[in-house]
Amino acid sequence: MSLERLDPTNPDPVVIARAATLLREGRLVAFPTETVYGLGANALDPAAVERIYVAKGRPAYNPLIVHIADPSQAMDVARAWNDRAERLARAFWPGPLTLVLPKRPEVPDSVTAGLDTVGVRVPRHPVAHALLAAAKIPVAAPSANRSTQVSPTTGDHVAKSLGDAVDLILDAGPTAVGIESTVLDLSGATPTLLRPGTISVPELESIAGPIAIATEGSGESARPSPGMLDKHYAPRARLVLADARDVGLRVEQERRRARTVGAIVISATLQSTPTVFRMPGDARGYAARLYDTLHALDDSGCDVIVVERVPESAEWLGVADRLRRAQSG
Ligand code: TXA
Ligand code: MG
């Protein structure tokens, strides 16, 4: 495995050029985006895309997001672009928003898992942008972790999870957003939220008008994203959600069962230990810390993580979704 450390705001062009060449040759390059690290491959090369699925152990029914350097390249992979897409792109690109659009035939079925749509995103991270601009190809990139594990927010997380399965890891330190992009499906009559992120529903609606929210098992008008049905984002430890006033009690109960217990709290009063993590009280600050905290608790050998329930308001939807999915781990 090869790992290069880069200045996150001013990446070395020589390293970027080497990474871009690897991508053009069909190899795998892990790179930082503002959300999480991605495992990149040439989106127009089916053999390269196949390597992603093998490296991650990812089921073939879960489609990949295609990353582009500039909104003007969206039509290289999508065959329809309407006024709503234009407004959303202007408002949120570059940034943590993935738009699902009708796909062009040039995009291999392996990228879209056989769907007639493709997820497209223009990331905001300077390293991602430099890499995409140098490679001059659309880059398919899921989160750079083994399938079902917690997504990586540092180069070390990528190395720990994928190691030798990647040709090159570009490490630019921790990511700023910390959870995966908001995924919005624009292929139907009503825009549909497939995966909540840090861009909230009210923010999306202020630009796109009313949107539907896909729920698991819902009907055709709000069909879930294929990959969202699985256990996902799960740490090795068992995760238990508790109201603030019950966190201390739950921690004690688990300790009495001789478990190594970690905790993630916002306001709950709890004696401070190395495995008690106090999080920011705002959703964006919390999201930025969440995965690094789950990785740290896993590394410290916790069997159980007691997590204080987060607020139910719109801006917490992305964090609440990831915590709920992590519970099934
Ligand atoms: O922030 C992110 O989105 C990160 C960074 C690397 O960009 N990527 C990421 O990729 O989280 P991944 O593969 O872990 O998640 C992609 C999500 C899945 O839930 C998948 O089902 C959905 O996007 N998706 C991709 N293409 C789709 C499509 N054509 N239709 C519906 N859902 C799609
Ligand atoms: Mg993922």
Side-chain angles (χ1 to χ4, degrees), residues 56 58 142-143 145 151 180 195 232-233:
K56 281 187 58 100
R58 182 177 176 111
S143 52
N145 52 281
S151 292
E180 302 81 355
R195 180 174 70 183
H232 215 73
Y233 317 104

